[in-house]
Amino acid sequence: MNESATSGDQQTDKVFDSAKGIELPTAKILPGKSLTYNVAYGYTPGQDFTLTVNSMDRFDRADGIYSGKL
């Protein structure tokens, strides 16, 4: 899984904060199973925010794109 984000017309940086549980997972996932984890990105208040998620191992799936104003 890979994700990226923009705020307004700028790419934003991913934020890591282990004290708040925002870090990359390290667990191996068995076929047919899933893993939920938190991600965070910087943004500019009042600007459109867009998060794009893609599956790097499944090229037959379209990217998930979530967009809104924060």
Side-chain angles (χ1 to χ4, degrees):
M1 191 74 60
N2 185 37
E3 67 276 328
S4 61
T6 60
S7 180
D9 62 356
Q10 300 290 317
Q11 183 168 338
T12 64
D13 292 327
K14 189 179 278 193
V15 175
F16 296 97
D17 186 343
S18 59
K20 293 186 178 181
I22 302 170
E23 53 194 1
L24 292 176
T26 58
K28 300 225 183 257
I29 305 165
L30 295 173
K33 299 295 182 178
S34 63
L35 173 70
T36 301
Y37 62 97
N38 295 316
V39 296
Y41 285 87
Y43 71 95
T44 303
Q47 295 291 314
D48 287 332
F49 178 81
T50 302
L51 175 68
T52 303
V53 180
N54 65 29
S55 174
M56 296 175 66
D57 63 340
R58 295 283 309 265
F59 297 105
D60 59 331
R61 290 186 184 174
D63 291 349
I65 300 175
Y66 307 91
S67 186
K69 196 171 289 268
L70 300 175

